[in-house]
Amino acid sequence: MAASKCTQLTAALSRQLLDSIDCVLFDCDGVIWRGDQAIPGAPEVISSLKKNGKRVFFVTNNSTKTRQMYADKLGKLGFDATADEVFGTVYCSAVYLKNVCKLDGKVYLIGSNAMRQELEDVGIRPVGVGPDPVSGVQKDWANVPLDKEVQAVLVSFDEHFSYMKLNRALQYLCNPDCQFVGTNTDTRLPLEGGKAVPGTGCLLRAVETAAQRQAQVVGKPSNFMFECVASQLGLDLERCLMVGDRLDTDIMLGSNCGLKTLLTLTGVSTVAEAEANQKSECPHQQKMKEVRRVL
Ligand code: PLP
Ligand code: CA
């Protein structure tokens, strides 16, 4: 494992860092907001970066909102941001299914109305949103009625996730030609006071386990999330900074794509975890070339 370097960010280093970048990618939850509240100082940091000519993007694994819904939320919380600066798993999954999977049939969607809307906006026809219609009615589960035009299964955050949805996804995925995509693998969504709720990673693992197949994952730490930003905007990755609160998603994405990375201590990962990660020889853990932390 190559030696990795974790440096605490000082005033002098911040100036050096700012001079070496043109573009900053911000994770959202735990970095610029927590739930429905802006992290103090975050709107001012973003305005100041923009005033100094930096391009700013918002990169989130949360699959419950469209780009426009995020732009509205950002505006309400005092951020200077537009919808085309937001790259969430909802938008990026729609781009992935259209441009990478070249999907021309329907997609069986385990997900929200926001995801349905964003898929429809790129011309993809989703089925399955909302509670499953045969839950509790039909008992012949292996012969549940399927839509013959479905060519992919997409798993994202779904408050109506159920045994029947899991079963239906399995029935579609028994066809080896049916593509299998997941938005993200975050298993827990941390809340205030040490509480947590299950994340999309739990739903995705359930479907992967049932189908005995692995999904292609679009969200952080998959490179696709950054490629989605870079391909549309022609960014120089050497001059991009990824700012995040999680080592296993945000910092790993930056590291995988050769970006500079900055770990804030406002969310999930701690300094101790960053240090342990660097010392670890564990092959599945990514080499972190550089993790700078905010004081
Ligand atoms: N997925 C869901 C459903 C969420 O609610 C959240 C955070 O609120 C996330 C993922 C993680 O989002 P982010 O990548 O912005 O930290
Ligand atoms: Ca986060």
Side-chain angles (χ1 to χ4, degrees), residues 27 29 245 250:
D27 164 54
D29 198 60
D245 70 312
D250 311 316

Side-chain angles (χ1 to χ4, degrees), residues 47-221:
S47 296
S48 153
L49 285 168
K50 287 188 169 185
K51 264 190 215 122
N52 284 287
K54 312 294 180 197
R55 298 171 81 181
V56 171
F57 299 100
F58 304 94
V59 183
T60 177
N61 271 0
N62 190 333
S63 58
T64 61
K65 289 184 176 64
T66 62
R67 289 183 117 181
Q68 189 52 53
M69 288 157 87
Y70 278 118
D72 294 345
K73 173 171 179 173
L74 283 159
K76 242 193 343 223
L77 296 183
F79 290 94
D80 162 18
T82 57
D84 57 6
E85 291 170 329
V86 179
F87 288 81
T89 45
V90 167
Y91 174 71
C92 294
S93 298
V95 173
Y96 189 83
L97 284 170
K98 192 175 168 68
N99 296 350
V100 180
C101 301
K102 311 268 184 226
L103 193 76
D104 60 2
K106 294 182 184 172
V107 59
Y108 176 60
L109 173 61
I110 291 181
S112 61
N113 267 315
M115 179 62 87
R116 170 166 65 183
Q117 209 175 305
E118 204 88 69
L119 288 168
E120 285 172 350
D121 284 353
V122 299
I124 292 173
R125 292 168 295 157
V127 295
V129 175
D132 191 282
V134 304
S135 273
V137 180
Q138 177 164 345
K139 293 288 178 215
D140 187 7
W141 291 331
N143 291 307
V144 72
L146 298 179
D147 186 324
K148 289 196 169 46
E149 289 182 71
V150 166
Q151 290 176 5
V153 169
L154 171 61
V155 181
S156 57
F157 189 81
D158 188 346
E159 61 182 303
H160 299 292
F161 187 72
S162 63
Y163 179 82
M164 192 50 72
K165 286 195 173 196
L166 177 60
N167 173 53
R168 211 181 274 276
L170 161 58
Q171 303 310 325
Y172 283 120
L173 289 167
C174 282
N175 172 2
D177 294 330
C178 181
Q179 307 204 59
F180 184 17
V181 178
T183 51
N184 61 305
T185 56
D186 305 43
T187 47
R188 270 179 160 225
L189 305 175
L191 304 175
E192 297 296 327
K195 291 186 173 176
V197 290
T200 306
C202 300
L203 315 189
L204 185 57
R205 266 198 214 162
V207 179
E208 287 183 329
T209 308
Q212 298 178 352
R213 285 177 59 175
Q214 271 214 307
Q216 305 165 65
V217 176
V218 169
K220 300 170 290 184

